[in-house]
Amino acid sequence: MSKSGPEFCLAVVVGGTGDPHLVLTVPQSGQQLTWDFHGKGNQSYCMITDNSLSLNARMFNLPPDVNILHRAVEAEDSFFEGTWIDAIGVIYSKPEDDNHERALAIVLNQTSARTDLEEPFAILYSGDDTQISVPEGVSTWTSPDETFSIKYHSEFRTFVEITIPDHLKMEVRVEADSEIISDPPIYSLSFDIQMIATTPEVHGFVGQMYAPGAIEERLQMGTLEGLLHREYVEGTDDDYATSGLTATDCSFSRFKKVRRTKCLWRA
């Protein structure tokens, strides 16, 4: 393949759960690459930042009314205070539409998650100077411009699939932390990114793992005991901070800055 041709991306699944623990399954070998990213409560960070697509995560600290009864040994971390994800922002720009931005915000309601009486998260779409809340009770929903589609997969509406055709397919779930026994339980958002189209310059505390050669480079690293592979992530947590859930202004931002061809998916 010539150097001027499009580069290949690895078709890998990346997931995040709990306090956030991130897992990438290496193609072919099936080996898992795991790392943590903590950040600070009530602060959003860029998970993935690329030319036309960004994903952000907002963290929260231990709720003040939660009493910790037991922590699993693997959940004990003397270096960091616990943080979890309570909101995910997806920002998309269509180059063929003058780069107008569309955004989807998925926001957890901790109280509703505990009671099962109301939907545990709200979904808000923003685009073309309009904001639309996805109606409660619907099983599927498509944005007016057909950019985003949403499909619920569970009776209690704790599991939703989000799709941007040819660009993104991800699942977001509401789950209780399985490593910490508490009263009441700690609920947060978990996710699995099943498909994403990226450029080789993709970044973010998750996105950088999609860059060419990133997996091989990290598998060759030594492990710093106690840091839970935080060394896999370039820079400091503050480098990934954004000014809001659907903002694209982290220090490593690639949004509307990359002009290279998207990767082709390698079978």
Side-chain angles (χ1 to χ4, degrees):
M1 184 175 65
S2 68
K3 292 183 179 180
S4 60
E7 298 192 36
F8 286 88
C9 288
L10 297 176
V12 298
V13 174
V14 175
T17 187
D19 176 17
H21 306 308
L22 303 157
V23 180
L24 178 151
T25 302
V26 180
Q28 287 83 45
S29 70
Q31 183 178 1
Q32 288 191 328
L33 187 72
T34 63
W35 71 102
D36 277 24
F37 183 89
H38 292 273
K40 301 174 183 177
N42 201 34
Q43 174 64 56
S44 296
Y45 298 89
C46 56
M47 286 200 296
I48 297 176
T49 173
D50 209 351
N51 185 51
S52 60
L53 181 64
S54 285
L55 273 69
N56 294 341
R58 189 179 70 193
M59 306 299 182
F60 71 97
N61 295 121
L62 184 72
D65 63 339
V66 169
N67 180 29
I68 301 295
L69 304 177
H70 176 73
R71 286 179 181 263
V73 174
E74 57 269 24
E76 295 181 358
D77 188 339
S78 59
F79 289 91
F80 300 104
E81 182 182 14
T83 54
W84 296 261
I85 297 174
D86 71 349
I88 292 175
V90 183
I91 309 96
Y92 176 59
S93 174
K94 299 173 69 173
E96 66 274 18
D97 192 17
D98 295 326
N99 287 317
H100 289 170
E101 294 179 20
R102 277 81 171 167
L104 202 69
I106 305 97
V107 182
L108 173 69
N109 184 314
Q110 189 78 218
T111 302
S112 298
R114 293 174 182 175
T115 62
D116 287 335
L117 297 178
E118 299 178 1
E119 296 200 8
F121 49 67
I123 301 179
L124 180 69
Y125 165 81
S126 302
D128 296 327
D129 299 321
T130 62
Q131 288 192 337
I132 302 172
S133 295
V134 176
E136 294 186 5
V138 301
S139 58
T140 60
W141 180 86
T142 301
S143 63
D145 63 352
E146 300 184 346
T147 297
F148 292 95
S149 64
I150 293 170
K151 183 177 181 180
Y152 285 90
H153 284 277
S154 66
E155 178 183 356
F156 298 105
R157 303 175 67 75
T158 58
F159 176 10
V160 66
E161 179 182 285
I162 299 166
T163 303
I164 301 176
D166 300 322
H167 284 80
L168 176 70
K169 182 178 180 181
M170 71 180 298
E171 297 173 348
V172 178
R173 304 177 303 279
V174 177
E175 295 181 331
D177 194 309
S178 61
E179 295 182 343
I180 298 177
I181 299 174
S182 64
D183 182 25
I186 304 168
Y187 287 92
S188 63
L189 297 183
S190 299
F191 67 89
D192 284 312
I193 299 171
Q194 299 174 317
M195 187 282 287
I196 187 168
T198 63
T199 70
E201 286 80 9
V202 62
H203 214 291
F205 68 83
V206 170
Q208 62 193 271
M209 307 305 171
Y210 286 98
I215 295 174
E216 293 79 3
E217 178 183 346
R218 283 156 180 80
L219 288 175
Q220 293 174 6
M221 286 183 177
T223 298
L224 300 178
E225 186 176 354
L227 293 183
L228 302 175
H229 291 165
R230 173 58 180 82
E231 70 273 17
Y232 285 175
V233 180
E234 180 183 356
T236 68
D237 290 2
D238 288 345
D239 291 328
Y240 298 88
T242 66
S243 59
L245 182 60
T246 57
T248 58
D249 54 0
C250 69
S251 295
F252 288 116
S253 178
R254 302 293 192 262
F255 197 68
K256 296 184 180 180
K257 297 178 181 178
V258 179
R259 299 303 175 196
R260 296 182 64 177
T261 306
K262 289 187 300 184
C263 299
L264 299 178
W265 290 104
R266 183 164 66 193

